Amino acid sequence: MTEKDFIVKLNNLRSTAPDEAWLKSNRELLLNQISNSGAANLSVWKTFVINFSSLAKASVRPAYALGAFVFILVMGSLFGNQVFSNVKPNDSLYIARIISEKAKLNTVLNSDSHDKLAAQFATQRAQDISAVLADPKFNTDQNQTQVASLSASFNQEINTAKTQLDHITPVPSAPADVAVSIADNAKDNQGMQVAANPLGQTVSYATVSEATSSKGSDKTATSSATSTPAKTNSADDTTVILDQAQKLFDQKNYNQALDKLKEADQLINNAN
Amino acid sequence: MAANPIRKFKDKQTLSKLRSHDKEAFIKVYDDHVAEIYRFVYFKIGNKEEANDLTSIIFLKTWNHIQNNSLVDAKTLRALLYKVARTSIIDYYRETGNKLSVTDSLDDENNRIEVVDEALNSEEKIDREADLELIKSKLPLLKEEYREVIIMKFINDLSLDEIAEISGKNKGNVRVLLHRALSALKALVEGDGKL
């Protein structure tokens, strides 16, 4: 007989029960005895108070646990990336840094700010990888596996940063009046006049472009007025710098790559 | 143990009502637990009449205990009932001066287990009753603590946490004790060559 069968047979002893008659008579007997010691039926109000306080006592621990969980989640999302920002890619807590950065990213709702922050995090991680690989104590023959892994991570981070920069929506940072002024200067050279907007509103690029192209002679004005916004230029510049950093990294010029990445980080940081 | 919040709430509610001298709460506790407390006592002392008396005393003592104490010594009502049952049985042993012996009456004619299961045919019923009688006859041969954990776990279906709290041991010790107790009982029963 197996142990399981034996346990089933033991479980069957549950059928042992006192006599029904004794149960009833003993119930009455006990009820009489406790009634003599002051037992009574509770009032509705007393029952309500007991139910309410029991509910509060039973739920206080789960409520604390839930509160603590939410608190840790919120604090982790808001400040976790600061706590782990100094963790290097060869540290065991590096995964915590990545998670905290992702948590921080999830708290940013604006898509441009999100992309900018993602690019910044990727660039910073790439910087840290370069710094680690630039360290001769780490970058040894014995650590070649880790070095190869970090190199792959570096390329991944650079690609992430470039992708995020591409996502940033180009917003014209050069106001229309600047464009008008450029067009105005160009037309002044040809004895033409650009009328001021009677409503005092900004002039659109299309208006300026039409004004310039209708004459069909002012190539300078057209190119100035329809020029790419400054932010796009900034993103392009950053992408170029990231490409340069990648090339330097591939050539194992880690320190120079690091300088380039710092430059890119600065550009991303300064971008509005 | 009151692991789930609903059970925890009900336990707190019942204890609060008992402390407020609520008759209905006492009756509910009696109806819910009398059978298992009776079984615990009966399989420990082996006498039906005395098990009846002791069960009655245990409920009364529990009522008095709740009125006079803050219940810091037991986390749940069920555990409290078992604790009171254990001390009452010890008192009973002291008063009568004997423990359950092999010759005592767990398996006498008056205490035959009545198994009511309509699905079983008469032959199966006879087999099953014979098995139960055999196990019952071997239970008194076990050490006191072995018998106690077997009753609590396999007959009354208490959790390891509850047994640990009642017996004042940790869960690991209870698990080991259960394993040894089960092996010992199985060896006794199989030694008889009937199961």
Side-chain angles (χ1 to χ4, degrees), chain B residues 145-146 149 169 172-182:
Chain B
E145 61 174 353
Y146 283 2
V149 289
K169 294 182 167 68
N173 287 346
V174 171
R175 201 176 280 119
V176 171
L177 200 61
L178 266 172
H179 179 72
R180 286 180 184 163
L182 196 64

Side-chain angles (χ1 to χ4, degrees), chain B residues 156-181:
Chain B
N156 279 353
D157 200 26
L158 268 72
S159 67
L160 283 181
D161 282 328
E162 284 171 320
I163 298 171
E165 197 200 328
I166 293 161
S167 59
K169 294 182 167 68
N170 66 41
K171 260 171 84 174
N173 287 346
V174 171
R175 201 176 280 119
V176 171
L177 200 61
L178 266 172
H179 179 72
R180 286 180 184 163

Side-chain angles (χ1 to χ4, degrees), chain B residues 46-63:
Chain B
N47 185 295
K48 191 178 174 182
E49 298 305 321
E50 283 170 350
N52 283 348
D53 291 345
L54 263 178
T55 304
S56 187
I57 290 168
I58 288 162
F59 277 91
L60 208 55
K61 276 187 177 177
T62 307
W63 167 263

Side-chain angles (χ1 to χ4, degrees), chain A residues 119-120 122-124 126-127 154-155 157-166 234-250 257 260-265 267-268:
Chain A
Q120 204 167 4
T123 312
Q124 283 165 1
Q127 277 183 61
F154 177 89
N155 288 323
E157 299 296 358
I158 293 289
N159 290 336
T160 306
K162 286 196 280 194
T163 310
Q164 296 300 334
L165 286 171
D166 285 346
S234 167
D236 287 346
D237 290 348
T238 313
T239 308
V240 169
I241 293 170
L242 288 174
D243 283 335
Q244 290 170 352
Q246 200 165 15
K247 275 178 194 162
L248 289 166
F249 186 90
D250 291 341
K260 284 284 174 194
L261 286 168
K262 281 179 183 167
E263 201 180 326
D265 188 26
L267 271 175
I268 296 170

Side-chain angles (χ1 to χ4, degrees), chain A residues 2 21 23 44 46 51 57 60 71 78 107 148 162 182 195 209 212 225-226 229 240 255 258-259:
Chain A
T2 64
L23 276 177
V44 177
K46 183 78 179 167
N51 288 346
K57 280 179 195 167
V60 69
F71 179 79
L78 294 177
T107 61
K162 286 196 280 194
I182 295 165
S209 183
T212 53
T226 56
V240 169
N255 285 321
L258 187 60
D259 291 340

Side-chain angles (χ1 to χ4, degrees), chain A residues 45-61:
Chain A
W45 171 246
K46 183 78 179 167
T47 308
F48 172 78
V49 170
I50 286 174
N51 288 346
F52 184 77
S53 67
S54 304
L55 185 66
K57 280 179 195 167
S59 60
V60 69
R61 205 177 287 179

